Amino acid sequence: MGRMSEKASGTFDIDVWDSKDPYDDRDGVTLTPVQVEKTFKGDLVGTSVAHLQTVTTPAGPVAYVGVERVEGTLNGRKGSFVLRHQAADGPEGPWLTWVIVPTSGTGELAGIRGEGQIQVGPDGAHSFTLDYDLA
């Protein structure tokens, strides 16, 4: 049986944004670890914990990388998986992408792979899309 491509979308709330002490802060550039906890609604119902490394310059927050473990139900399948984040604020505006870490799926989400994006609305609300497939 081949792989079938599926889509998921929804919203999430940031329940906790715990910024730690910067580990590098000089010449106007600050590198800071942040722990983020979220609640997802929509095609993905569940919670997550993310560990991010943020970069702030005199222009403001400009980039982050991180990993996030998501636990819940994705289009009716229960399990967990890990997302790898990459985001920056570029000339065309901000972009935020997710890639599912291969082999990180558990439960009914074992074998999941794919990628997605985060959108931040003018009111600060967060929504997501995820294109994925399962073995």
Side-chain angles (χ1 to χ4, degrees):
M1 186 163 119
R3 297 181 82 87
M4 192 170 89
S5 184
E6 298 189 48
K7 293 187 179 300
S9 63
T11 62
F12 63 87
D13 294 324
I14 295 175
D15 302 315
V16 174
W17 180 277
D18 183 10
S19 186
K20 309 294 186 189
D21 291 333
Y23 61 89
D24 192 330
D25 187 358
R26 55 196 154 102
D27 304 323
V29 177
T30 306
L31 308 178
T32 307
V34 179
Q35 181 173 314
V36 181
E37 297 177 21
K38 300 176 188 170
T39 301
F40 290 88
K41 300 171 189 139
D43 296 332
L44 172 60
V45 177
T47 59
S48 72
V49 176
H51 291 272
L52 311 178
Q53 302 294 324
T54 65
V55 180
T56 305
T57 70
V62 292
Y64 77 82
V65 296
V67 293
E68 175 175 14
R69 182 162 192 156
V70 178
E71 295 183 89
T73 304
L74 177 63
N75 285 327
R77 294 185 188 94
K78 190 171 173 61
S80 70
F81 54 91
V82 176
L83 294 168
R84 176 174 49 87
H85 287 247
Q86 191 169 323
D89 201 356
E92 293 82 40
W95 55 269
L96 303 93
T97 60
W98 286 343
V99 175
I100 297 172
V101 175
T103 71
S104 70
T106 68
E108 294 175 310
L109 298 174
I112 192 171
R113 60 184 191 191
E115 57 187 50
Q117 292 187 309
I118 299 170
Q119 295 84 29
V120 181
D123 59 354
H126 292 79
S127 60
F128 70 89
T129 56
L130 187 63
D131 294 312
Y132 68 95
D133 56 49
L134 284 157

